[in-house]
Amino acid sequence: MKRIGVLTSGGDSPGMNAAVRAVVRKAIHDGIEVYGIYGGYTGLIHGNIEKLELGSVGDIIHRGGTILYSARCEEFKTEEGRQKGIENLKAHQIEGLVVIGGDGSYRGALALTEAGFPCVGVPGTIDNDIAGTQYTIGFDTALNTVIDAIDKIRDTASSHERTFIIEVMGRDAGDIALWAGLAGGAETILIPEVNYDIDEIATKLKSGLDRGKRHSIIIVAEGVCSGIEFAKQVESATSLETRVSVLGHIQRGGSPTAFDRVLASRLGAHAVELLAKEKGGQAVGLNNNQVVANSLRDVLSQHNRLDLDLYELSRELSI
Ligand code: ADP
């Protein structure tokens, strides 16, 4: 392969830039030209394609967001839309594509591969919800953003004897809530994968107060219910005064952590290696600190399972 493309798609995540940089630098190092597709699959359909040089990705390793921009594109879910994309790629003599994004973006990459255009997926999402990799690019950064917020909220919570409910991202996956709750010492963690019992939570909050705790912190993944909704449930079950913080999009931004930069560098470079060997239809990942590749089809057919041992540990440590 002499010329490849790279795009970022779906929800952005910190570290996407470091992945783009790795793709560009590794490809050029190996004698392959790289073209950037601006604006995800929308940009692909509209032909927003430009050559990237070594300098195009200078000074971006530490920046959140994505210099290639991202988008959600309904048209790409149609065969016609994808055909337009393939025509634009061929018009630029691009022979393979690196897609950095979440599972929706992977579906697009698989559809392109099945239409005869080889793609490799790189897991870029804060949700950590992609099978075939223990970590996705951006998860660690988002986690640290949430922990920073929890620590700050804890300061004010302890001054005022309050129960704080912090709503974090995670529609279907509880990884951010679970890891942040464990690392932030939360009393209770609500995740989409496990049902909760409001009476059990109320009893725990009261027994904490009885033994002299001045505050409690509850982490709620947005997929369970809104923080405000859960606060109402807590207030009616306990008559405790609650405060709610919805962290929202700050979880998507910020300079990527060292972990995410290294992960992005390793996975981006491996994606290029696979394309160079004409191994399309794969998704790269990290397993036991080894860079691995699995077929996009397998990755999409598996459900990424939350670490229930970690959930149990969080319960044991927050008695
Ligand atoms: P993420 O990649 O973060 O999961 P989305 O689920 O929004 O984000 O997916 C990003 C884009 O991937 C969509 O806007 C669409 O263009 C494309 N996509 C998603 N599902 C499919 C599909 N089944 N076939 C083709 N393209 C898809």
PDB file of all heavy atoms in Angstrom, residues 9-11 41 71-78 82 101-109 111 124-125, ligand 1:
ATOM      1  N   SER A   9     -14.071   9.906  13.951  1.00  0.00           N
ATOM      2  CA  SER A   9     -15.521   9.851  13.735  1.00  0.00           C
ATOM      3  C   SER A   9     -16.259   9.624  15.052  1.00  0.00           C
ATOM      4  O   SER A   9     -15.712   9.084  16.009  1.00  0.00           O
ATOM      5  CB  SER A   9     -15.797   8.713  12.756  1.00  0.00           C
ATOM      6  OG  SER A   9     -17.142   8.333  12.750  1.00  0.00           O
ATOM      7  N   GLY A  10     -17.529  10.044  15.078  1.00  0.00           N
ATOM      8  CA  GLY A  10     -18.367   9.829  16.263  1.00  0.00           C
ATOM      9  C   GLY A  10     -17.989  10.764  17.400  1.00  0.00           C
ATOM     10  O   GLY A  10     -17.442  11.847  17.174  1.00  0.00           O
ATOM     11  N   GLY A  11     -18.245  10.330  18.631  1.00  0.00           N
ATOM     12  CA  GLY A  11     -17.912  11.163  19.791  1.00  0.00           C
ATOM     13  C   GLY A  11     -16.408  11.325  19.896  1.00  0.00           C
ATOM     14  O   GLY A  11     -15.678  10.349  19.787  1.00  0.00           O
ATOM     15  N   TYR A  41     -17.107  10.683   8.477  1.00  0.00           N
ATOM     16  CA  TYR A  41     -17.699  10.118   7.252  1.00  0.00           C
ATOM     17  C   TYR A  41     -18.403  11.198   6.420  1.00  0.00           C
ATOM     18  O   TYR A  41     -18.525  11.053   5.205  1.00  0.00           O
ATOM     19  CB  TYR A  41     -18.676   9.003   7.608  1.00  0.00           C
ATOM     20  CG  TYR A  41     -18.003   7.778   8.209  1.00  0.00           C
ATOM     21  CD1 TYR A  41     -18.464   7.201   9.392  1.00  0.00           C
ATOM     22  CD2 TYR A  41     -16.901   7.195   7.585  1.00  0.00           C
ATOM     23  CE1 TYR A  41     -17.858   6.081   9.935  1.00  0.00           C
ATOM     24  CE2 TYR A  41     -16.275   6.076   8.125  1.00  0.00           C
ATOM     25  CZ  TYR A  41     -16.765   5.519   9.305  1.00  0.00           C
ATOM     26  OH  TYR A  41     -16.148   4.416   9.837  1.00  0.00           O
ATOM     27  N   ALA A  71     -17.677  13.929  13.224  1.00  0.00           N
ATOM     28  CA  ALA A  71     -19.070  14.174  12.827  1.00  0.00           C
ATOM     29  C   ALA A  71     -19.871  12.904  12.998  1.00  0.00           C
ATOM     30  O   ALA A  71     -19.313  11.809  13.130  1.00  0.00           O
ATOM     31  CB  ALA A  71     -19.122  14.606  11.365  1.00  0.00           C
ATOM     32  N   ARG A  72     -21.186  13.092  13.027  1.00  0.00           N
ATOM     33  CA  ARG A  72     -22.086  11.939  12.912  1.00  0.00           C
ATOM     34  C   ARG A  72     -22.758  12.086  11.559  1.00  0.00           C
ATOM     35  O   ARG A  72     -23.117  13.191  11.158  1.00  0.00           O
ATOM     36  CB  ARG A  72     -23.088  11.931  14.071  1.00  0.00           C
ATOM     37  CG  ARG A  72     -22.373  11.707  15.407  1.00  0.00           C
ATOM     38  CD  ARG A  72     -23.271  11.100  16.461  1.00  0.00           C
ATOM     39  NE  ARG A  72     -22.471  10.431  17.486  1.00  0.00           N
ATOM     40  CZ  ARG A  72     -22.042  11.019  18.602  1.00  0.00           C
ATOM     41  NH1 ARG A  72     -22.321  12.267  18.847  1.00  0.00           N
ATOM     42  NH2 ARG A  72     -21.338  10.333  19.474  1.00  0.00           N
ATOM     43  N   CYS A  73     -22.896  11.008  10.836  1.00  0.00           N
ATOM     44  CA  CYS A  73     -23.326  11.098   9.438  1.00  0.00           C
ATOM     45  C   CYS A  73     -24.335   9.996   9.112  1.00  0.00           C
ATOM     46  O   CYS A  73     -23.956   8.833   8.955  1.00  0.00           O
ATOM     47  CB  CYS A  73     -22.075  10.980   8.560  1.00  0.00           C
ATOM     48  SG  CYS A  73     -22.433  10.922   6.807  1.00  0.00           S
ATOM     49  N   GLU A  74     -25.592  10.361   9.041  1.00  0.00           N
ATOM     50  CA  GLU A  74     -26.641   9.380   8.738  1.00  0.00           C
ATOM     51  C   GLU A  74     -26.479   8.814   7.330  1.00  0.00           C
ATOM     52  O   GLU A  74     -26.730   7.636   7.086  1.00  0.00           O
ATOM     53  CB  GLU A  74     -28.026  10.030   8.885  1.00  0.00           C
ATOM     54  CG  GLU A  74     -28.497  10.149  10.335  1.00  0.00           C
ATOM     55  CD  GLU A  74     -28.496   8.810  11.075  1.00  0.00           C
ATOM     56  OE1 GLU A  74     -29.098   7.845  10.567  1.00  0.00           O
ATOM     57  OE2 GLU A  74     -27.878   8.734  12.163  1.00  0.00           O
ATOM     58  N   GLU A  75     -26.050   9.681   6.402  1.00  0.00           N
ATOM     59  CA  GLU A  75     -25.952   9.247   4.999  1.00  0.00           C
ATOM     60  C   GLU A  75     -24.985   8.075   4.826  1.00  0.00           C
ATOM     61  O   GLU A  75     -25.136   7.258   3.913  1.00  0.00           O
ATOM     62  CB  GLU A  75     -25.510  10.447   4.128  1.00  0.00           C
ATOM     63  CG  GLU A  75     -25.739  10.224   2.650  1.00  0.00           C
ATOM     64  CD  GLU A  75     -25.219  11.383   1.791  1.00  0.00           C
ATOM     65  OE1 GLU A  75     -24.913  12.466   2.336  1.00  0.00           O
ATOM     66  OE2 GLU A  75     -25.125  11.181   0.568  1.00  0.00           O
ATOM     67  N   PHE A  76     -24.007   8.007   5.737  1.00  0.00           N
ATOM     68  CA  PHE A  76     -23.016   6.946   5.601  1.00  0.00           C
ATOM     69  C   PHE A  76     -23.593   5.572   5.940  1.00  0.00           C
ATOM     70  O   PHE A  76     -23.006   4.540   5.624  1.00  0.00           O
ATOM     71  CB  PHE A  76     -21.789   7.237   6.471  1.00  0.00           C
ATOM     72  CG  PHE A  76     -20.551   6.558   5.971  1.00  0.00           C
ATOM     73  CD1 PHE A  76     -19.931   6.987   4.809  1.00  0.00           C
ATOM     74  CD2 PHE A  76     -20.021   5.464   6.634  1.00  0.00           C
ATOM     75  CE1 PHE A  76     -18.810   6.354   4.322  1.00  0.00           C
ATOM     76  CE2 PHE A  76     -18.886   4.820   6.156  1.00  0.00           C
ATOM     77  CZ  PHE A  76     -18.288   5.264   5.000  1.00  0.00           C
ATOM     78  N   LYS A  77     -24.770   5.570   6.572  1.00  0.00           N
ATOM     79  CA  LYS A  77     -25.407   4.282   6.880  1.00  0.00           C
ATOM     80  C   LYS A  77     -26.083   3.699   5.638  1.00  0.00           C
ATOM     81  O   LYS A  77     -26.573   2.584   5.675  1.00  0.00           O
ATOM     82  CB  LYS A  77     -26.414   4.464   8.014  1.00  0.00           C
ATOM     83  CG  LYS A  77     -25.741   4.803   9.340  1.00  0.00           C
ATOM     84  CD  LYS A  77     -26.738   4.924  10.464  1.00  0.00           C
ATOM     85  CE  LYS A  77     -26.039   5.311  11.751  1.00  0.00           C
ATOM     86  NZ  LYS A  77     -26.990   5.693  12.798  1.00  0.00           N
ATOM     87  N   THR A  78     -26.119   4.449   4.550  1.00  0.00           N
ATOM     88  CA  THR A  78     -26.711   3.945   3.304  1.00  0.00           C
ATOM     89  C   THR A  78     -25.593   3.500   2.354  1.00  0.00           C
ATOM     90  O   THR A  78     -24.475   4.032   2.398  1.00  0.00           O
ATOM     91  CB  THR A  78     -27.526   5.043   2.583  1.00  0.00           C
ATOM     92  OG1 THR A  78     -26.624   6.058   2.116  1.00  0.00           O
ATOM     93  CG2 THR A  78     -28.546   5.674   3.524  1.00  0.00           C
ATOM     94  N   ARG A  82     -21.940   5.366   1.225  1.00  0.00           N
ATOM     95  CA  ARG A  82     -20.616   4.722   1.315  1.00  0.00           C
ATOM     96  C   ARG A  82     -19.951   4.656  -0.059  1.00  0.00           C
ATOM     97  O   ARG A  82     -18.737   4.811  -0.174  1.00  0.00           O
ATOM     98  CB  ARG A  82     -20.756   3.323   1.939  1.00  0.00           C
ATOM     99  CG  ARG A  82     -21.138   3.383   3.412  1.00  0.00           C
ATOM    100  CD  ARG A  82     -20.957   2.054   4.095  1.00  0.00           C
ATOM    101  NE  ARG A  82     -21.852   1.029   3.619  1.00  0.00           N
ATOM    102  CZ  ARG A  82     -23.092   0.826   4.068  1.00  0.00           C
ATOM    103  NH1 ARG A  82     -23.584   1.598   5.025  1.00  0.00           N
ATOM    104  NH2 ARG A  82     -23.841  -0.147   3.590  1.00  0.00           N
ATOM    105  N   GLY A 101     -12.396   5.868  16.214  1.00  0.00           N
ATOM    106  CA  GLY A 101     -13.710   6.213  16.753  1.00  0.00           C
ATOM    107  C   GLY A 101     -14.270   5.096  17.610  1.00  0.00           C
ATOM    108  O   GLY A 101     -13.536   4.180  18.010  1.00  0.00           O
ATOM    109  N   GLY A 102     -15.556   5.162  17.862  1.00  0.00           N
ATOM    110  CA  GLY A 102     -16.225   4.173  18.697  1.00  0.00           C
ATOM    111  C   GLY A 102     -16.913   3.101  17.870  1.00  0.00           C
ATOM    112  O   GLY A 102     -16.615   2.927  16.680  1.00  0.00           O
ATOM    113  N   ASP A 103     -17.845   2.388  18.493  1.00  0.00           N
ATOM    114  CA  ASP A 103     -18.413   1.229  17.794  1.00  0.00           C
ATOM    115  C   ASP A 103     -19.247   1.609  16.580  1.00  0.00           C
ATOM    116  O   ASP A 103     -19.278   0.876  15.590  1.00  0.00           O
ATOM    117  CB  ASP A 103     -19.161   0.299  18.750  1.00  0.00           C
ATOM    118  CG  ASP A 103     -20.320   0.972  19.432  1.00  0.00           C
ATOM    119  OD1 ASP A 103     -20.432   2.211  19.378  1.00  0.00           O
ATOM    120  OD2 ASP A 103     -21.140   0.242  20.030  1.00  0.00           O
ATOM    121  N   GLY A 104     -19.918   2.777  16.606  1.00  0.00           N
ATOM    122  CA  GLY A 104     -20.652   3.236  15.423  1.00  0.00           C
ATOM    123  C   GLY A 104     -19.690   3.432  14.257  1.00  0.00           C
ATOM    124  O   GLY A 104     -19.933   2.970  13.136  1.00  0.00           O
ATOM    125  N   SER A 105     -18.568   4.079  14.545  1.00  0.00           N
ATOM    126  CA  SER A 105     -17.553   4.307  13.507  1.00  0.00           C
ATOM    127  C   SER A 105     -17.007   2.976  12.987  1.00  0.00           C
ATOM    128  O   SER A 105     -16.720   2.834  11.797  1.00  0.00           O
ATOM    129  CB  SER A 105     -16.412   5.149  14.075  1.00  0.00           C
ATOM    130  OG  SER A 105     -16.941   6.343  14.610  1.00  0.00           O
ATOM    131  N   TYR A 106     -16.866   1.999  13.896  1.00  0.00           N
ATOM    132  CA  TYR A 106     -16.401   0.665  13.494  1.00  0.00           C
ATOM    133  C   TYR A 106     -17.396   0.019  12.525  1.00  0.00           C
ATOM    134  O   TYR A 106     -17.007  -0.690  11.604  1.00  0.00           O
ATOM    135  CB  TYR A 106     -16.252  -0.229  14.728  1.00  0.00           C
ATOM    136  CG  TYR A 106     -14.922  -0.113  15.451  1.00  0.00           C
ATOM    137  CD1 TYR A 106     -14.110   1.006  15.320  1.00  0.00           C
ATOM    138  CD2 TYR A 106     -14.479  -1.146  16.279  1.00  0.00           C
ATOM    139  CE1 TYR A 106     -12.908   1.094  16.003  1.00  0.00           C
ATOM    140  CE2 TYR A 106     -13.276  -1.072  16.952  1.00  0.00           C
ATOM    141  CZ  TYR A 106     -12.489   0.051  16.821  1.00  0.00           C
ATOM    142  OH  TYR A 106     -11.304   0.124  17.493  1.00  0.00           O
ATOM    143  N   ARG A 107     -18.705   0.254  12.762  1.00  0.00           N
ATOM    144  CA  ARG A 107     -19.707  -0.326  11.845  1.00  0.00           C
ATOM    145  C   ARG A 107     -19.523   0.242  10.443  1.00  0.00           C
ATOM    146  O   ARG A 107     -19.624  -0.478   9.444  1.00  0.00           O
ATOM    147  CB  ARG A 107     -21.129  -0.043  12.343  1.00  0.00           C
ATOM    148  CG  ARG A 107     -21.509  -0.953  13.467  1.00  0.00           C
ATOM    149  CD  ARG A 107     -22.919  -0.756  14.000  1.00  0.00           C
ATOM    150  NE  ARG A 107     -22.909  -1.039  15.420  1.00  0.00           N
ATOM    151  CZ  ARG A 107     -22.779  -2.252  15.941  1.00  0.00           C
ATOM    152  NH1 ARG A 107     -22.735  -3.296  15.157  1.00  0.00           N
ATOM    153  NH2 ARG A 107     -22.721  -2.427  17.239  1.00  0.00           N
ATOM    154  N   GLY A 108     -19.253   1.530  10.378  1.00  0.00           N
ATOM    155  CA  GLY A 108     -18.978   2.156   9.078  1.00  0.00           C
ATOM    156  C   GLY A 108     -17.732   1.551   8.444  1.00  0.00           C
ATOM    157  O   GLY A 108     -17.700   1.268   7.244  1.00  0.00           O
ATOM    158  N   ALA A 109     -16.690   1.331   9.260  1.00  0.00           N
ATOM    159  CA  ALA A 109     -15.424   0.772   8.755  1.00  0.00           C
ATOM    160  C   ALA A 109     -15.629  -0.652   8.245  1.00  0.00           C
ATOM    161  O   ALA A 109     -15.064  -1.044   7.211  1.00  0.00           O
ATOM    162  CB  ALA A 109     -14.372   0.795   9.860  1.00  0.00           C
ATOM    163  N   ALA A 111     -18.493  -1.883   7.124  1.00  0.00           N
ATOM    164  CA  ALA A 111     -19.299  -1.801   5.897  1.00  0.00           C
ATOM    165  C   ALA A 111     -18.423  -1.421   4.700  1.00  0.00           C
ATOM    166  O   ALA A 111     -18.567  -1.987   3.612  1.00  0.00           O
ATOM    167  CB  ALA A 111     -20.432  -0.789   6.079  1.00  0.00           C
ATOM    168  N   GLY A 124     -11.216   4.926  19.700  1.00  0.00           N
ATOM    169  CA  GLY A 124     -11.154   6.272  20.279  1.00  0.00           C
ATOM    170  C   GLY A 124     -12.508   6.626  20.869  1.00  0.00           C
ATOM    171  O   GLY A 124     -13.420   7.010  20.147  1.00  0.00           O
ATOM    172  N   THR A 125     -12.650   6.443  22.157  1.00  0.00           N
ATOM    173  CA  THR A 125     -13.888   6.806  22.861  1.00  0.00           C
ATOM    174  C   THR A 125     -13.608   6.857  24.354  1.00  0.00           C
ATOM    175  O   THR A 125     -12.823   6.048  24.851  1.00  0.00           O
ATOM    176  CB  THR A 125     -15.031   5.802  22.586  1.00  0.00           C
ATOM    177  OG1 THR A 125     -16.068   6.005  23.539  1.00  0.00           O
ATOM    178  CG2 THR A 125     -14.599   4.357  22.685  1.00  0.00           C
TER     179      THR A 125
HETATM  180  P1  ADP B   1     -19.124   6.317  17.832  1.00  0.00           P
HETATM  181  O1  ADP B   1     -18.197   5.934  16.724  1.00  0.00           O
HETATM  182  O2  ADP B   1     -18.490   7.236  18.822  1.00  0.00           O
HETATM  183  O3  ADP B   1     -19.807   5.110  18.429  1.00  0.00           O
HETATM  184  P2  ADP B   1     -21.631   6.921  16.415  1.00  0.00           P
HETATM  185  O4  ADP B   1     -22.345   5.737  16.946  1.00  0.00           O
HETATM  186  O5  ADP B   1     -22.345   8.197  16.340  1.00  0.00           O
HETATM  187  O6  ADP B   1     -20.273   7.240  17.196  1.00  0.00           O
HETATM  188  O7  ADP B   1     -21.127   6.529  14.935  1.00  0.00           O
HETATM  189  C1  ADP B   1     -20.371   7.424  14.175  1.00  0.00           C
HETATM  190  C2  ADP B   1     -20.765   7.341  12.730  1.00  0.00           C
HETATM  191  O8  ADP B   1     -20.478   6.041  12.215  1.00  0.00           O
HETATM  192  C3  ADP B   1     -22.241   7.531  12.427  1.00  0.00           C
HETATM  193  O9  ADP B   1     -22.643   8.871  12.429  1.00  0.00           O
HETATM  194  C4  ADP B   1     -22.335   6.918  11.035  1.00  0.00           C
HETATM  195  O10 ADP B   1     -21.865   7.826  10.056  1.00  0.00           O
HETATM  196  C5  ADP B   1     -21.359   5.758  11.135  1.00  0.00           C
HETATM  197  N1  ADP B   1     -22.110   4.509  11.382  1.00  0.00           N
HETATM  198  C6  ADP B   1     -22.692   4.116  12.522  1.00  0.00           C
HETATM  199  N2  ADP B   1     -23.346   2.932  12.356  1.00  0.00           N
HETATM  200  C7  ADP B   1     -23.169   2.591  11.068  1.00  0.00           C
HETATM  201  C8  ADP B   1     -23.594   1.480  10.255  1.00  0.00           C
HETATM  202  N3  ADP B   1     -24.335   0.498  10.768  1.00  0.00           N
HETATM  203  N4  ADP B   1     -23.199   1.455   8.973  1.00  0.00           N
HETATM  204  C9  ADP B   1     -22.444   2.439   8.450  1.00  0.00           C
HETATM  205  N5  ADP B   1     -22.020   3.505   9.142  1.00  0.00           N
HETATM  206  C10 ADP B   1     -22.373   3.589  10.434  1.00  0.00           C
END
